[in-house]
Amino acid sequence: MSKITGRASEEIRGSLYDDLRTSESARKMQQRVCGPVVAMSFNFMLAVGIILTNKMVMGKIGFNFPIFLTLIHYIVAWMLMAILKAFSWIPISPPSKSTPFSSLFALGVVMAFANGLANTSLQHNSVGFYQMAKIAVTPTIVVSEFILLKKTISYNKVLALTLVSVGVAVATVTDLEFNLFGACIAIAWIVPSAINKILWSDLQQQSNWTAMALMWKTTPVTIFFLVALMPWLDPPGVLSFPWDLHNTLAILSSAALGFLLQWSGALALGATSATAHVILGQFKTCIILLGGYLLFNSDPGVLSLCGALAALCGMSVYTSLSLKESRENAAKAPQSQASSLSKPKSDVEDDLEKADTKSVSNTE
């Protein structure tokens, strides 16, 4: 019995190794295991968890160094990935010819700016102004995808996204306190955040990258640029912070959740699109607002509740349109494949066949 169990475990390990040995098979395995629903649900739960953890770290503990906190997140993520790499559990990367180093370098740079500036914006802006900046990411992604990738969306989707953005604005933007430095940080964050999501989605869907392999390649670049950002955006005094056991464990817990959140976000971007990932973040905001009203008797106001419901309606319409397009594309794929197989032969192919027939008859 033990021999059978041992042989079965060896076969499982062997099949897993085969799946991770090439970038294409690893990408297909990721698609099988983490479809859009699984990836986005995983990302949604982790996003809520890290919000609560970071509130404790930056609020109760008083760790007011957002860039350094982001740096700790990426250092812990790189160490965890190094352990996975030692056990050959990180899928192999695609050939270097298929993805130029400049693309990976650009992704690492925009990740540093997107995540570092997001935490800095949250520290220096009110929640309302921060939310307004997040809403601006959606049209920025649409415009950037059109400029960079020539990607367009339907008129109905534009209407749905408009309804979502207006609904989230009405639901959450109640304290637009203006701060010049905070406003500059928020505006500077919008474009890197949009480009970050676009690159994550495009590299996985077009170049056979898996989320973990892409994280392994780009994290060192991100760490380098976060170190460069620290003197400019973080306040002094990080060395004088009380690094006792309780504070250190809280910060490391935030870092572990940050690693899982980054991975789940990459999975979601690989399974869906940059715009869908932004919609997921706005869905989380509305659910938290409505959940507080239904479960904890909070009173956000009638206007905020109406805005949240309008945003959820817009998200439902956008999801329905996306699913409809996915079904249509899936139906078109077999037809195009069948038409290519049944395509008439070219004149060159006819000449080759005649030449083969003639040579056979001569030998006879």
Side-chain angles (χ1 to χ4, degrees), residues 2-23:
S2 60
K3 290 182 180 180
I4 295 174
T5 305
R7 193 181 301 116
S9 62
E10 286 293 333
E11 290 177 356
I12 292 173
R13 281 197 294 268
S15 63
L16 180 61
Y17 176 76
D18 290 338
D19 283 338
L20 300 180
R21 193 165 52 183
T22 64
S23 60

Side-chain angles (χ1 to χ4, degrees), residues 238-286:
V238 66
L239 296 178
S240 60
F241 180 78
W243 292 93
D244 55 33
L245 181 62
H246 175 263
N247 292 347
T248 303
L249 286 177
I251 292 171
L252 290 178
S253 299
S254 171
L257 281 175
F259 165 68
L260 293 175
L261 179 65
Q262 184 192 358
W263 183 37
S264 66
L267 289 173
L269 285 165
T272 56
S273 66
T275 308
H277 191 254
V278 175
I279 295 295
L280 175 66
Q282 295 174 345
F283 172 73
K284 173 195 65 183
T285 302
C286 294

